[in-house]
């Protein structure tokens, strides 16, 4: 019984191209023969999912498959579209070595099975010599192919992201060093060349793609190369001015609050932001006046004696 290609990949018929690609990569990593050398069933499964993806991963082939124009093997479903025809020159012949490369699908003008099923399938037979699909007795399928990329999501502390850091992760049993550049933001992807899945037929290894997720900080935020921080101050500090301690990403510093400061006013600490190879940002301190939470009769009397001011224009 011919299998439904969507069932082979384990996706719905309505799956998007991205969902199909993601599912194929997951299955290809799971069943890759180089990672399952003692499991023959894994090699068969790898060929099966590769064949399914070769059709469903190609927009035009998928359309034809959905419209019943080709079957699960990529063959035209209409009589005369392939196989026998009126000219009698396109047919399959068999020899003791498998497919005969001299007639029908072979030769310089023959049919390229790798374009139909994907080279991943035939790579399993690349060492078969003269039998089956060997390069000398049938089809030449030994073209080198780069291995699949692998993806990894890495959570990063805010200070490590803005100052730069090194982290170690494990992919495919290997311990890899990830250098996080200063000024990294959520969603940024780092590429580790050659740290992905093995290549096929001597092809290069794929890459490891590390997507970073920067954790939120209790009081710092990043805006470009600048660091933003809200600084609560008392009414006394706002009116009379004061020296207060302010945190920065490189340590605490003393800052002078000017007398008669208002909420929303900002102080700029030069060079206290994110330092990259191209730029050095500042820290922007946003003042927020906080009224006392405990009843204070003296404060109330002092404020009551102040002249009324018209601050609103609406």
């Amino acid at each position: 019984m011919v299998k439904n290609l969507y069932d082979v990949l384990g996706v719905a018929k309505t799956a998007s191209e991205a969902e199909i690609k993601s599912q194929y990569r997951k299955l290809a990593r799971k069943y890759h023969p180089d990672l399952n050398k003692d499991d023959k069933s894994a090699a068969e499964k790898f060929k099966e999912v590769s064949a399914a993806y070769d059709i469903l991963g190609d927009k035009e082939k998928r359309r034809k498959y959905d419209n019943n124009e080709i079957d699960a093997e990529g063959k035209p479903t209409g009589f005369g579209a392939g196989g026998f025809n009126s000219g009698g020159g396109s047919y399959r012949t068999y020899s003791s070595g498998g497919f005969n490369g001299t007639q029908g699908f072979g030769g310089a003008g023959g049919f390229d099975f790798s374009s139909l099923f994907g080279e991943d399938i035939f790579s399993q037979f690349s060492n078969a010599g003269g039998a089956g699909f060997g390069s000398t007795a049938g089809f030449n399928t030994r073209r080198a192919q780069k291995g699949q990329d692998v993806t990894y999501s890495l959570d990063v502390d805010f200070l490590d992201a803005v100052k730069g850091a090194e982290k170690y992760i494990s992919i495919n049993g290997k311990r890899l060093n990830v250098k996080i550049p200063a000024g990294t933001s959520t969603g940024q992807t780092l590429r580790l060349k050659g740290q992905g899945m093995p290549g096929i037929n001597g092809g290069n290894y794929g890459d490891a793609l590390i997507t970073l997720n920067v954790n939120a900080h209790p009081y710092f935020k990043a805006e470009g190369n600048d660091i933003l921080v809200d600084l609560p101050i008392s009414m006394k500090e706002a009116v009379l001015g004061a020296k207060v301690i302010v945190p920065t990403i490189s340590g605490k510093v003393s800052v002078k609050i000017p007398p008669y400061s208002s909420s929303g006013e900002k102080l700029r600490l030069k060079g206290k932001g994110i330092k990259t190879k191209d730029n050095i940002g500042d820290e922007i301190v946003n003042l927020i006046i906080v009224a006392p939470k405990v009843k204070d009769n003296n404060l109330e009397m002092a404020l009551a004696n102040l002249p009324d001011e018209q601050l609103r224009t609406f």
Side-chain angles (χ1 to χ4, degrees), residues 27-28 30-51 120-125:
L27 294 176
K30 180 178 180 180
Y31 296 114
H32 197 288
D34 288 347
L35 303 179
N36 300 274
K37 295 183 179 179
D38 298 326
D39 187 354
K40 293 183 179 179
S41 63
E44 293 301 318
K45 190 66 177 177
F46 180 79
K47 290 188 290 181
E48 189 177 60
V49 299
S50 296
D120 289 351
I121 298 177
F122 296 106
S123 67
Q124 308 309 311
F125 303 99

Side-chain angles (χ1 to χ4, degrees), residues 64-65 67-82:
K64 290 183 178 180
Y65 177 72
N67 291 337
N68 233 6
E69 296 176 30
I70 60 174
D71 60 18
E73 295 182 344
K75 301 173 185 175
T77 56
F79 182 80

Side-chain angles (χ1 to χ4, degrees), residues 268-288:
R268 182 179 294 270
L269 307 184
K270 296 291 291 184
K272 292 298 182 180
I274 300 171
K275 299 180 181 180
T276 64
K277 61 180 181 179
D278 299 320
N279 194 17
I280 300 177
D282 303 327
E283 177 165 304
I284 311 300
V285 181
N286 179 45
L287 301 181
I288 300 177

Side-chain angles (χ1 to χ4, degrees), residues 1 9 16 27 32 49 71 84 98 119 125 163 176 195 212-213 218 235 241 244 257 275-276 284 288 310:
M1 180 179 178
L9 291 183
S16 66
L27 294 176
H32 197 288
V49 299
D71 60 18
F84 299 103
E119 294 184 9
F125 303 99
K163 297 169 67 175
L176 304 178
Q195 299 298 338
L212 304 177
N213 177 46
M235 294 183 66
V244 298
I257 306 298
K275 299 180 181 180
T276 64
I284 311 300
I288 300 177
Q310 180 58 262

